[in-house]
Amino acid sequence: EVQLVESGGGLVQPGGSLRLSCAASGFPFSSYWMYWVRQAPGKGLVWVSRINTDGSATSDADSVKGRFTISRDNAKNTLYLQLNSLTAEDTAVYYCARFQTTVGAFDNWGQGTLVTVSS
Amino acid sequence: DIQMTQSPSSVSASVGDRVTITCRASQGISSWLAWYQQQPGKAPKLLIYAASSLQSGVPSRFSGSGSETDFTLTISSLQPEDFATYYCQQSNAFPTTFGGGTKVEIK
């Protein structure tokens, strides 16, 4: 069974940092592109960052470029998102998602981890 | 970025009703369109990929159609567990983008 389990969310002050983790199991993690997608309270889904299978190529949404860093450790089957210089606009549930490149869809999602940026 | 526009933003329906949700892309995306269902407090769940292919395990009352700029998700006979928010997503061009969502509410 495919499982994606996020952790690392919480309450952080503006300007602070967090590192999110996503532990993957039940599938060959190193064979899949992975994404972080976020959802602000009461809002829709927005992609944040993506990473290719071996971690050599990443992309970030303009809203987080230069502040967030996606990475992965294929030996540990874990995806990461380092969040720096956080603002209130970054408050959201962050989901890790497995991207199925053959069909262009996210076929498995984690349960999400809530990041709240507030003083 | 390709803009995805869903309509309606919400719909009230009864159990057994046929419900249709529309998604329009700001430019042609071939069939690179997926649909997701999100229950409150839960992660999205893939329903349809490649515009019309049913994800494994998804009930056959869900169907998708369309190509290029105009797409529809149809629920043929609404069940109690179908009351949720539905999102479309395009992956024809980077970055992937989602529609704003359609909330299906109990009438």
Side-chain angles (χ1 to χ4, degrees), chain A residues 26-107:
Chain A
F27 68 100
F29 179 69
S30 62
S31 298
Y32 287 85
W33 285 64
M34 297 295 295
Y35 278 64
W36 288 97
V37 176
R38 71 183 180 183
Q39 186 171 37
K43 301 297 185 180
L45 301 165
V46 179
W47 90 282
V48 174
S49 297
R50 71 173 185 178
I51 189 166
N52 69 345
T53 56
D54 65 5
S56 61
T58 64
S59 304
D60 304 301
D62 287 345
S63 59
V64 307
K65 202 164 290 185
R67 300 187 300 120
F68 291 9
T69 303
I70 189 172
S71 62
R72 66 191 298 162
D73 185 336
N74 285 344
K76 295 182 178 180
N77 290 341
T78 303
L79 176 72
Y80 302 100
L81 186 67
Q82 178 68 40
L83 291 69
N84 296 331
S85 303
L86 286 161
T87 72
E89 287 67 43
D90 297 315
T91 294
V93 174
Y94 286 73
Y95 295 101
C96 66
R98 187 178 85 168
F99 188 68
Q100 190 68 259
T101 53
T102 53
V103 300
F106 299 103
D107 65 351

Side-chain angles (χ1 to χ4, degrees), chain B residues 15-82:
Chain B
V15 172
D17 284 354
R18 181 183 184 89
V19 173
T20 298
I21 299 168
T22 297
C23 179
R24 176 161 288 175
S26 60
Q27 63 190 73
I29 60 169
S30 185
S31 296
W32 292 99
L33 192 284
W35 290 97
Y36 301 86
Q37 176 194 65
Q38 187 177 34
Q39 302 283 1
K42 301 289 189 181
K45 172 188 172 184
L46 177 64
L47 299 176
I48 302 283
Y49 61 89
S52 60
S53 296
L54 196 66
Q55 174 71 348
S56 176
V58 174
S60 59
R61 62 180 179 273
F62 291 94
S63 64
S65 65
S67 66
E68 296 302 341
T69 60
D70 293 295
F71 301 86
T72 59
L73 172 70
T74 299
I75 309 171
S76 60
S77 178
L78 201 64
Q79 298 302 299
E81 60 269 30
D82 301 336

Side-chain angles (χ1 to χ4, degrees), chain B residues 72-99:
Chain B
T72 59
L73 172 70
T74 299
I75 309 171
S76 60
S77 178
L78 201 64
Q79 298 302 299
E81 60 269 30
D82 301 336
F83 291 97
T85 301
Y86 294 83
Y87 294 92
C88 61
Q89 171 242 339
Q90 70 79 23
S91 58
N92 180 72
F94 176 79
T96 188
T97 47
F98 294 87

